[in-house]
Amino acid sequence: MDETAWNTVDRLVAWLDRNSELPEETRTILQILKITEEAGEVAEAVIGATGQNPRKGYSHTWADVQEELCDVIVTAMVALTRINPDARQLFTEKLERIAARSLAVD
C-alpha cells in the first residue's frame, strides 16, 4: 500500500489523540467500534442504492457506497495503527498471505 496513505493515517491518529481527553485504551476501543459504525453506513448506502427501503426509496447512489467503503478502510487503518505500531508491515504481510492463498488457484 502507498506509504503516503499510511503517513496520512499516522497524522489522523495524532490528530484524534490531540483532540481527545479519553484514556488511550478507551480511544482504541472506540476506534475499533467505529469500524462497525462505518460498516453500518455502507449497509445503509447499499440499501438506499438498491431502493430496498420502501419508505426512503432510492436514497443513495453507488458512489455513496464507494465513499462509505473508503471510510471503513480508513477507520480500520487508524484502528490497526492504534493497536500495532508496525501496522504497515503487518498489513503488507497479511495481504501477501491472502494473495498467496487466494491467487494461487489461478
Side-chain angles (χ1 to χ4, degrees), residues 47-97:
I47 290 167
T50 57
Q52 294 306 302
N53 183 333
R55 188 174 53 81
K56 294 182 181 179
Y58 290 89
S59 59
H60 292 75
T61 66
W62 286 104
D64 295 326
V65 174
Q66 293 171 47
E67 289 288 323
E68 297 299 344
L69 285 168
C70 288
D71 288 348
V72 171
I73 293 166
V74 171
T75 302
M77 290 173 73
V78 168
L80 183 59
T81 299
R82 283 191 180 282
I83 64 173
N84 186 331
D86 206 15
R88 292 166 168 78
Q89 185 64 34
L90 177 67
F91 180 79
T92 298
E93 291 170 1
K94 178 66 174 181
L95 188 58
E96 288 170 355
R97 286 194 308 274

